[in-house]
Amino acid sequence: MVNVPGNLDLIEAPTKEPERQLFYIERCKELLAASGQMTDEKKLTYHISTFGCQMNFRDSEKLAGVLESIGYERVESEKADLVLYNTCTVRENASTRVYGRIGYVGKIKKEKNPSMVIGICGCMMQEPDEVEKMKKSYSFIDIIFGTHNSYKIAELLYTLLMNRKAKEKNPSLKTHVIDVQKEATGIVEDLPVRYDSTFRAGVNIMYGCDNFCTYCIVPYVRGRERSRKSCDIIREVEELASRGVKEIMLLGQNVNSYGKGLDEDITFAALLDKLSDIKGIKRIRFMTSHPKDLSDDLISVMSRKETICRHIHLPLQSGSSRLLKKMNRHYTREDYLTLVGKLRAAMPDIAITTDIIVGFPGETEEDFKETLEVCEEVSFDSAFTFIYSKRTGTPAAAFPDQVPEDIVKERFDRLLKVVAHSSAANASKLVGKDVDVLVETVGHSLEGGEASDGRTPETGDDAVTALTGRLGNNLLVHFEGRKSLVGEIVRVHIDECKDFYYLGSLCVLD
Ligand code: SAH
Ligand code: SF4
Ligand code: F3S
């Protein structure tokens, strides 16, 4: 529910989206100009802190797009006029980090800028208990919204600004705006987006998840699986290509089940096939692939099309069929190994990365050893390893035999060693080879990506400098080259492997 004090002339607001939000963008602009808060000389600033996965980062680009259309300017510090926290709740430590930051920004508001707008959104806010906690303990938060209505930021901000105006006349009024939708209602297309990078972009192909793995909170906070129409996706990718974007990352919790529920008859493999023909797009990645839905057609498209990176992120979670069943993953250890065999037979150079959970309830030493065995057999290029985190409301939270912390830690360290060994061994295979690299940034960043203002740091001229680029296998390489190469695909000779990144040299250095 949005608490709007009476007497607001909202009659003319369109009911259809995106027209409604475009209307509120204009109303916010007018309101901020009329109150003298935003003028040609004085811009208001915004800051967004994003936690969690690529989905959240993509949502933040959309939030930023709307805020910049209103006239806000981005700053990196939380000393801004509007600060948004886009939260994650997949594991407990993600939530803990958010609380720390909210405490910090509350102090800035109190001491430096009482009219600051503080908003909190994202996956954590889809949990009613978390919203209650925010309301009770952090009364300085002005706007709370969830994952299903983040497209409404302009409308929510307008409501807050009107509430603040009303409070000037009637100080007893409450101003905060809380609007969390339990379920998603359709997909809103065509609102402004502020892309973080000029040459790489994430593209949502689906939202939500229907898999209900027993440990996972995502289906509860992101809602049911919804695929975007292929024509909307193609249109977006064509638009990105026309703006010079070279690499796209297709995003979904389970991209392999793309197309379910759409009127058109389309699969993920067919979508990839179409996207790979779009001129200008040099690289396509996607995540995440659920092993239970990985089709032969997908393997065939990947091996046929050069633009599709020879990299797949294929979460294993556990190497024990017994635990996989308890996790509700719908595949066995053997199914997983068979898939890996098929992928490698079709593409011997494919990089395979994964996610693994250690300490799922009831995990025995035997189960864990099976996970280690699968890791050794597959020889992953890298693995995100997670300690099981109990999420309230998920079935596994109530499972008996939660594994004691010391045993989990000990297993976790053993797993890290096995994974580090295979990553380093696989990475070193490229030493001495020439590979294609997308130049991402000036400087030797281990993160890659552009400077956080979306541009590369100014070095003045186009002298030879240190560059960082990304290989098809998703690893980074440091080499020397002109800064004008940022955003281009170049050929680099791999001189040395530093386990999880490379040192190289440009094949043609003019
Ligand atoms: N949709 C993706 C994953 C999204 S969450 C998929 O199915 O692969 C990213 C990863 O977080 C998961 O793959 C899992 O390994 C991990 N994860 C999810 N819930 C977790 C929990 N409760 N405890 C520990 N790790 C968890
Ligand atoms: Fe979570 Fe499983 Fe859905 Fe991935 S597929 S988001 S792990 S429920
Ligand atoms: Fe976190 Fe939500 Fe992603 S819970 S991992 S930000 S979908």
Side-chain angles (χ1 to χ4, degrees), residues 90-91 215-218 253-254 288-290 315 317 329 355-357 386-391:
V90 74
R91 287 171 294 274
Y215 49 81
C216 185
I217 193 89
V218 171
Q253 295 298 353
N254 178 11
T288 298
S289 274
H290 194 305
Q317 313 299 5
R329 291 289 289 178
D355 291 348
I356 296 169
I357 298 177
F386 305 109
I387 288 182
Y388 168 72
S389 172
K390 200 171 175 173
R391 306 317 283 142

Side-chain angles (χ1 to χ4, degrees), residues 51-56 87-90 123 217-218 221-222 253:
F51 300 81
C53 68
Q54 303 266 359
M55 296 288 166
N56 261 16
T87 61
C88 168
T89 183
V90 74
C123 295
I217 193 89
V218 171
V221 295
R222 285 274 170 182
Q253 295 298 353

Side-chain angles (χ1 to χ4, degrees), residues 114-152:
S115 64
M116 179 176 192
V117 175
I118 300 179
I120 176 152
C121 60
C123 295
M124 240 170 113
M125 294 304 102
Q126 289 298 137
E127 296 179 282
D129 287 355
E130 293 290 352
V131 173
E132 276 313 304
K133 206 150 127 192
M134 292 289 167
K135 269 172 31 187
K136 268 211 192 98
S137 317
Y138 302 93
S139 56
F140 53 81
I141 294 176
D142 300 290
I143 306 179
I144 296 180
F145 55 104
T147 56
H148 299 314
N149 60 351
S150 60
Y151 67 87
K152 268 174 84 174

Side-chain angles (χ1 to χ4, degrees), residues 80-135:
D81 298 301
L82 186 154
V83 176
L84 269 184
Y85 292 99
N86 193 359
T87 61
C88 168
T89 183
V90 74
R91 287 171 294 274
E92 194 177 351
N93 57 3
S95 315
T96 318
R97 278 172 54 219
V98 171
Y99 279 108
R101 295 288 286 280
I102 294 172
Y104 167 70
V105 82
K107 253 181 91 182
I108 302 180
K109 179 170 179 170
K110 196 165 156 212
E111 290 166 10
K112 301 231 158 69
N113 185 3
S115 64
M116 179 176 192
V117 175
I118 300 179
I120 176 152
C121 60
C123 295
M124 240 170 113
M125 294 304 102
Q126 289 298 137
E127 296 179 282
D129 287 355
E130 293 290 352
V131 173
E132 276 313 304
K133 206 150 127 192
M134 292 289 167
K135 269 172 31 187

Side-chain angles (χ1 to χ4, degrees), residues 445-507:
S445 145
L446 279 183
E447 295 291 324
E450 288 165 285
S452 41
D453 67 348
R455 281 157 282 275
T456 47
E458 280 306 322
T459 52
D461 53 24
D462 197 19
V464 170
T465 177
L467 298 175
T468 297
R470 194 177 296 268
L471 279 66
N473 69 2
N474 216 24
L475 289 183
L476 296 176
V477 56
H478 300 324
F479 59 101
E480 304 276 289
R482 295 186 192 284
K483 88 169 193 195
S484 55
L485 290 177
V486 171
E488 300 296 326
I489 299 218
V490 295
R491 202 97 180 126
V492 172
H493 183 78
I494 301 293
D495 300 316
E496 203 180 327
C497 173
K498 295 277 190 188
D499 290 354
F500 58 97
Y501 69 97
Y502 300 104
L503 301 181
S505 32
L506 256 187
C507 288

